[in-house]
């Protein structure tokens, strides 16, 4: 008989009634299954009896109460919880536990996370973004340390210290010449020339000391040609100073000319001459200091190589430099002035002063132009047109498309040529050597003459005859 008993249907969660009331809703939910409407009735034996059925209790079926449960024994659990007994396995659906946050820093983990998107690692970008091939590091350093004044002083040799103190003595000679020049306008002009020579002697010592360091001649990314171009900049400043001193002497001579014409002078100029038969000590000091600086320190040697005067180029080494020639000639004429009469002395003094002032302006303008073009990376020397004509005269050369000649500093020049040529490999090799030798001999003065160093780069475009 037990096998004929129907199987009990398990309790279901109460479902709210549909908005459309009627008996036709049940077959839609349980199609083909009989539904017992009294399965959840509290009057049936299957309803749990442990739940309080007190009709006076309004919260007996409230889901907010911990005693709400459709399982048998849920009420006992709620009762135990009210009595202070805690059992984690019998917690209600809304019985949340209190969580205490940690006071320490939260350790963030990146495991299993993707931050951003790396294009080079995506599947598509492997075909688009290709990594560049590895390149060898540059042979040039990024920059080299520039020596300080303390380091320069510590690196000076005994010979360099001697040269430095001599340049200081040369400046004292210039100051003494200016102090004793109140008796002659020509002596005032000579003091300006000696000042220019003393600054050049000091620059030669500074260049010699900076040559002790690697940064002076070695190339780097920051200074491609080293610090040797700093000497060109300092020489340019000295030439501008020489030009302004020449203009100052011209204005001084004009002022004296107006005073002699009857205009009242703003300042009284009393010029005293050296007595007849005496030797002008100031002129002797000027000659000796100029010779010592020119021979011992090679003063103005680099400027003389960069700027050539055809009129004095055939003179000896010291006099072929325009700066030394001007100072020595002026000093020699001042030694002869005390031998003439007073009237001739006054006339010669003004003529000599004006001549020196004009010569200083001409020399200053010529030096400013030469060194300015050097700072602008161009070549201002002569002979470039003749060199190009000689290159085009070669039978293997069809033409010169481009020719660039430029000077970096006093000791380095560069030539870049693009030539259309034709012939065999032996002809091209011969032509390359011929062009390089022609540029070095014509523009650099040839090997062993101490001229500028020329670096020649050639690009040949081969054409069929």
């Amino acid at each position: 008989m037990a096998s004929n008993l129907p199987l009990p249907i398990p309790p279901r969660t109460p479902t709210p009634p549909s908005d459309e009331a009627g008996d036709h809703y049940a077959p839609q939910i349980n199609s083909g299954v009989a539904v017992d409407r009294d399965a959840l009735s509290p009057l049936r034996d299957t309803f749990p009896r442990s739940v309080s059925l007190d009709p006076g209790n309004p919260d007996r079926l409230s889901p907010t109460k911990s005693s709400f449960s459709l399982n048998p024994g849920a009420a006992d659990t709620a009762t135990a919880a009210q009595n202070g007994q805690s059992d984690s396995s019998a917690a209600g659906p809304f019985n949340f536990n209190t969580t205490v946050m940690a006071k320490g820093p939260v350790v963030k983990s990146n495991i299993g996370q993707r931050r951003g998107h790396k294009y080079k690692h995506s599947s598509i970008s492997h075909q688009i973004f290709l990594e560049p091939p590895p390149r060898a590091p540059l042979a040039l350093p990024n920059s080299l340390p520039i020596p300080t004044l303390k380091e320069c002083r510590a690196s000076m040799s005994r010979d360099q210290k001697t040269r430095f103190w001599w340049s200081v003595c040369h400046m004292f000679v210039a100051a003494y010449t200016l102090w004793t020049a109140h008796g002659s306008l020509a002596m005032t002009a000579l003091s300006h020339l000696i000042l220019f020579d003393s600054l050049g002697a000091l620059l030669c010592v500074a260049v010699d000391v900076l040559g002790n360091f690697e940064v002076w001649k070695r190339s780097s990314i920051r200074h491609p040609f080293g610090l040797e171009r700093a000497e060109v900049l300092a020489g340019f400043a000295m030439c501008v100073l020489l030009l302004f001193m020449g203009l100052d002497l011209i204005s001084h001579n004009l002022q004296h000319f107006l005073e002699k014409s009857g205009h009242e002078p703003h300042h009284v100029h009393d010029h005293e001459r050296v007595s007849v038969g005496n030797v002008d000590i100031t002129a002797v000091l000027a000659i000796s200091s100029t010779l010592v600086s020119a021979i011992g320190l090679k003063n103005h040697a680099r400027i003389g190589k960069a700027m050539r005067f055809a009129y004095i180029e055939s003179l000896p080494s010291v006099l072929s430099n325009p700066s030394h020639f001007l100072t020595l000639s002026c000093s020699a004429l001042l030694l002869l002035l005390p031998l003439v009469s007073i009237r001739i002395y006054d006339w010669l003094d003004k003529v000599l002063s004006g001549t020196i002032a004009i010569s200083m302006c001409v020399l200053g303008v010529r030096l400013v132009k030469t060194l300015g073009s050097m700072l602008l990376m161009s070549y201002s020397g002569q002979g470039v047109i003749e060199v190009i004509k000689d290159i085009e005269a070669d039978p293997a050369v069809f033409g010169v498309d481009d020719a660039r000649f430029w000077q970096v500093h006093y000791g380095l020049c560069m030539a870049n040529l693009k030539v259309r040529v034709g012939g065999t490999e032996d002809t091209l090799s011969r032509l390359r050597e011929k062009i390089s030798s022609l540029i070095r001999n014509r523009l650099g003065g040839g090997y062993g003459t101490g001229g500028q160093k020329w670096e020649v780069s050639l690009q040949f475009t081969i054409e069929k005859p």
Side-chain angles (χ1 to χ4, degrees), residues 250-316:
I250 292 176
S251 64
H252 199 64
N253 290 331
L254 290 176
Q255 183 179 358
H256 277 268
F257 177 76
L258 294 176
E259 291 176 0
K260 295 295 183 180
S261 300
H263 293 275
E264 184 178 355
H266 296 283
H267 303 282
V268 179
H269 297 274
D270 295 329
H271 297 290
E272 299 176 359
R273 61 183 300 275
V274 180
S275 58
V276 178
N278 292 336
V279 178
D280 196 342
I281 303 298
T282 307
V284 174
L285 288 176
I287 294 175
S288 58
S289 61
T290 302
L291 290 176
V292 171
S293 296
I295 298 174
L297 298 180
K298 304 296 180 182
N299 191 15
H300 302 309
R302 285 178 285 272
I303 294 180
K305 292 178 182 178
M307 181 191 58
R308 301 173 182 175
F309 283 89
Y311 302 102
I312 61 176
E313 193 173 359
S314 59
L315 295 176

Side-chain angles (χ1 to χ4, degrees), residues 32 68 93 130 162 209 223 279 281 335 386 399 453:
F68 178 78
L130 300 178
T162 304
V209 173
H223 303 285
V279 178
I281 303 298
L335 284 176
E386 290 78 6
K453 178 183 177 182

Side-chain angles (χ1 to χ4, degrees), residues 186-334:
M187 190 65 69
T188 304
L190 179 62
S191 65
H192 288 69
L193 287 176
I194 299 176
L195 177 62
F196 176 72
D197 292 341
S198 63
L199 292 177
L202 184 62
L203 179 60
C204 290
V205 176
V207 169
D208 194 13
V209 173
L210 289 175
N212 300 333
F213 299 91
E214 189 179 14
V215 70
W216 182 252
K217 289 187 177 181
R218 185 179 176 184
S219 301
S220 62
I221 297 178
R222 187 173 183 180
H223 303 285
F225 304 101
L227 288 181
E228 290 191 72
R229 284 177 60 83
E231 181 185 5
V232 182
L233 184 61
F236 181 81
M238 288 173 48
C239 297
V240 173
L241 178 63
L242 179 66
L243 177 61
F244 276 98
M245 287 191 298
L247 294 176
D248 179 70
L249 288 175
I250 292 176
S251 64
H252 199 64
N253 290 331
L254 290 176
Q255 183 179 358
H256 277 268
F257 177 76
L258 294 176
E259 291 176 0
K260 295 295 183 180
S261 300
H263 293 275
E264 184 178 355
H266 296 283
H267 303 282
V268 179
H269 297 274
D270 295 329
H271 297 290
E272 299 176 359
R273 61 183 300 275
V274 180
S275 58
V276 178
N278 292 336
V279 178
D280 196 342
I281 303 298
T282 307
V284 174
L285 288 176
I287 294 175
S288 58
S289 61
T290 302
L291 290 176
V292 171
S293 296
I295 298 174
L297 298 180
K298 304 296 180 182
N299 191 15
H300 302 309
R302 285 178 285 272
I303 294 180
K305 292 178 182 178
M307 181 191 58
R308 301 173 182 175
F309 283 89
Y311 302 102
I312 61 176
E313 193 173 359
S314 59
L315 295 176
S317 59
V318 177
L319 296 177
S320 61
N321 193 308
S323 300
H324 300 329
F325 177 80
L326 191 59
T327 304
L328 293 175
S329 59
C330 179
S331 302
L333 290 176
L334 285 174

Side-chain angles (χ1 to χ4, degrees), residues 42 52 138 147 149 169 232 234 249 274 285 293 322 337 355 396 403 418:
S52 176
L138 295 175
L149 184 61
C169 294
V232 182
L249 288 175
V274 180
L285 288 176
S293 296
L337 284 182
T355 305
K418 185 177 181 181

Side-chain angles (χ1 to χ4, degrees), residues 101-107:
M101 297 183 65
K103 296 183 180 180
V106 179
V107 179

Side-chain angles (χ1 to χ4, degrees), residues 111-174:
I111 299 177
Q113 299 180 4
R114 292 188 64 186
R115 296 178 59 89
H117 181 72
K118 303 296 183 182
Y119 290 99
K120 60 181 282 188
H121 296 295
S122 63
S123 58
I124 301 178
S125 62
H126 282 296
Q127 303 176 2
I128 302 176
F129 299 98
L130 300 178
E131 295 187 1
R135 298 173 57 184
L138 295 175
L140 296 178
N142 187 18
S143 62
L144 294 172
I146 298 177
T148 60
L149 184 61
K150 184 178 180 180
E151 293 174 349
C152 292
R153 186 174 56 184
S155 67
M156 293 176 63
S157 62
R158 184 175 182 180
D159 182 61
Q160 291 173 350
K161 291 180 180 179
T162 304
R163 292 166 178 260
F164 171 75
W165 287 114
W166 168 249
S167 63
V168 174
C169 294
H170 200 166
M171 286 187 175
F172 277 109
V173 172

Side-chain angles (χ1 to χ4, degrees), residues 43-67:
L43 300 179
R44 299 293 296 271
D45 296 336
T46 58
F47 191 82
R49 298 298 179 178
S50 61
V51 181
S52 176
L53 300 177
D54 185 8
N57 187 6
D59 299 332
R60 65 182 183 276
L61 296 178
S62 176
T64 60
K65 294 297 184 177
S66 61
S67 60

